[in-house]
């Protein structure tokens, strides 16, 4: 299973850690064909090199929040043949769920502090590159725990888009302009969101605010 030499793109904003991983992977028979310290550099390296697998840290410049895993989701959409191994200190359930939305084949998510040996990491790389899965049990637990109670997951893609724009403060008219649909269509999507969130019309409650608060709470925003 670990016969062939893997071509790897490595995204890690810590230069010391990145250089150390390049040496370790090289010693284990992997060829690091590109490195990146930012999400745009990662996207460019994957597009140019088409590696077997990309190793991605979640938090990268400039905000050090979720740039890395956002880029991983984009890579998954653009080049599904490239394996993705998220390697981080953090569990980011919202974007992890999106990364796994089309299935877990060719995807891994390992926590740095829980990988005891380099051989385990390299074995996970090969597994992901071969279309398998390498998920830390803690990641799986957090995803299952979050998914069990998330009303956001019941929304259609368009309803989620509308709600995300509502959370950014856009009016129905503004949302309609951004999505290039009629204001009436937006009103129908908003009504569907209210229904799925169990928000009923009253004289005093602002359902729009409640829907946004529920979205932010359940999506980790």
């Amino acid at each position: 299973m670990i016969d062939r030499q893997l071509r790897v793109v490595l995204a890690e904003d810590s230069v010391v850690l990145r250089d150390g991983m390049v040496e370790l992977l090289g010693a284990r028979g992997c060829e690091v064909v590109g490195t990146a310290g930012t999400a745009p550099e990662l996207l460019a390296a994957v597009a140019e090199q088409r590696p077997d697998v990309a190793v991605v840290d979640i938090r990268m410049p400039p905000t050090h929040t979720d740039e890395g895993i956002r880029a991983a989701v984009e890579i998954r959409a653009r080049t599904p043949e490239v394996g993705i191994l998220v390697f981080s200190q953090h569990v980011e359930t919202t974007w992890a769920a999106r990364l796994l939305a089309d299935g877990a084949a060719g995807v891994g998510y390992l926590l740095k502090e829980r990988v005891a040996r380099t051989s385990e990491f390299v074995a996970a790389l090969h597994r992901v590159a071969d279309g398998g899965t390498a998920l830390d049990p803690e990641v799986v637990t957090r995803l299952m725990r979050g998914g069990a109670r998330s009303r956001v997951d019941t929304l259609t893609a368009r309803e989620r888009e509308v709600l995300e724009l509502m959370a950014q403060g856009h009016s129905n008219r503004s949302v309609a302009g951004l999505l290039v649909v009629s204001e009436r269509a937006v009103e129908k999507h908003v009504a569907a969101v209210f229904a799925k969130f169990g928000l009923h019309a009253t004289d005093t409650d602002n359902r729009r605010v409640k829907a946004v608060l529920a979205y932010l709470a359940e999506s980790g925003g």
Side-chain angles (χ1 to χ4, degrees):
M1 179 178 173
I2 307 184
D3 309 307
R4 67 189 179 102
Q5 184 182 52
L6 283 186
R7 299 178 71 255
V8 180
V9 164
L10 175 62
E12 167 61 57
D13 65 307
S14 167
V15 176
V16 173
L17 182 55
R18 186 168 69 233
D19 289 350
M21 290 181 69
V22 169
E23 288 190 22
L24 284 172
L25 291 174
R28 293 281 181 167
C30 297
E31 180 188 3
V32 178
V33 295
T35 61
T38 67
E41 289 175 0
L42 166 61
L43 293 171
V46 169
E48 180 181 351
Q49 298 294 339
R50 295 298 176 103
D52 298 308
V53 61
V55 179
V56 183
D57 191 11
I58 287 180
R59 301 187 176 182
M60 303 185 76
T63 68
H64 295 279
T65 53
D66 58 8
E67 286 87 350
I69 197 165
R70 282 176 181 263
V73 171
E74 191 168 338
I75 291 167
R76 182 88 162 148
R78 288 183 183 179
T79 50
E81 71 276 10
V82 175
I84 298 288
L85 178 59
V86 176
F87 191 47
S88 179
Q89 294 174 324
H90 312 281
V91 180
E92 215 300 336
T93 54
T94 302
W95 283 97
R98 293 193 186 187
L99 184 63
L100 295 163
D102 294 324
V107 177
Y109 195 140
L110 300 179
L111 299 178
K112 289 178 179 177
E113 71 273 14
R114 288 162 61 96
V115 176
R117 293 186 298 275
T118 306
S119 58
E120 292 178 7
F121 181 73
V122 174
L125 275 179
H126 278 269
R127 194 154 66 248
V128 169
D130 290 336
T133 303
L135 298 176
D136 186 284
E138 175 63 18
V139 174
V140 175
T141 299
R142 294 277 291 276
L143 283 170
M144 290 178 66
R145 189 182 300 147
R149 62 171 184 270
S150 177
R151 291 168 292 179
V152 174
D153 291 341
T154 67
L155 303 179
T156 65
R158 180 60 90 183
E159 288 163 1
R160 186 189 289 265
E161 282 182 316
V162 169
L163 184 52
E164 286 175 349
L165 291 170
M166 283 169 55
Q168 294 170 23
H170 292 281
S171 65
N172 285 1
R173 178 173 296 178
S174 177
V175 171
L178 290 168
L179 297 180
V180 197
V181 297
S182 70
E183 193 170 342
R184 179 61 182 153
V186 172
E187 290 170 358
K188 288 182 178 179
H189 290 311
V190 171
V193 170
F194 290 159
K196 290 180 178 180
F197 278 22
L199 298 174
H200 305 293
T202 70
D203 293 333
T204 57
D205 289 342
N206 188 327
R207 290 186 295 170
R208 199 178 186 89
V209 172
K210 285 189 172 183
V212 167
L213 290 174
Y215 166 72
L216 293 175
E218 294 185 7
S219 68

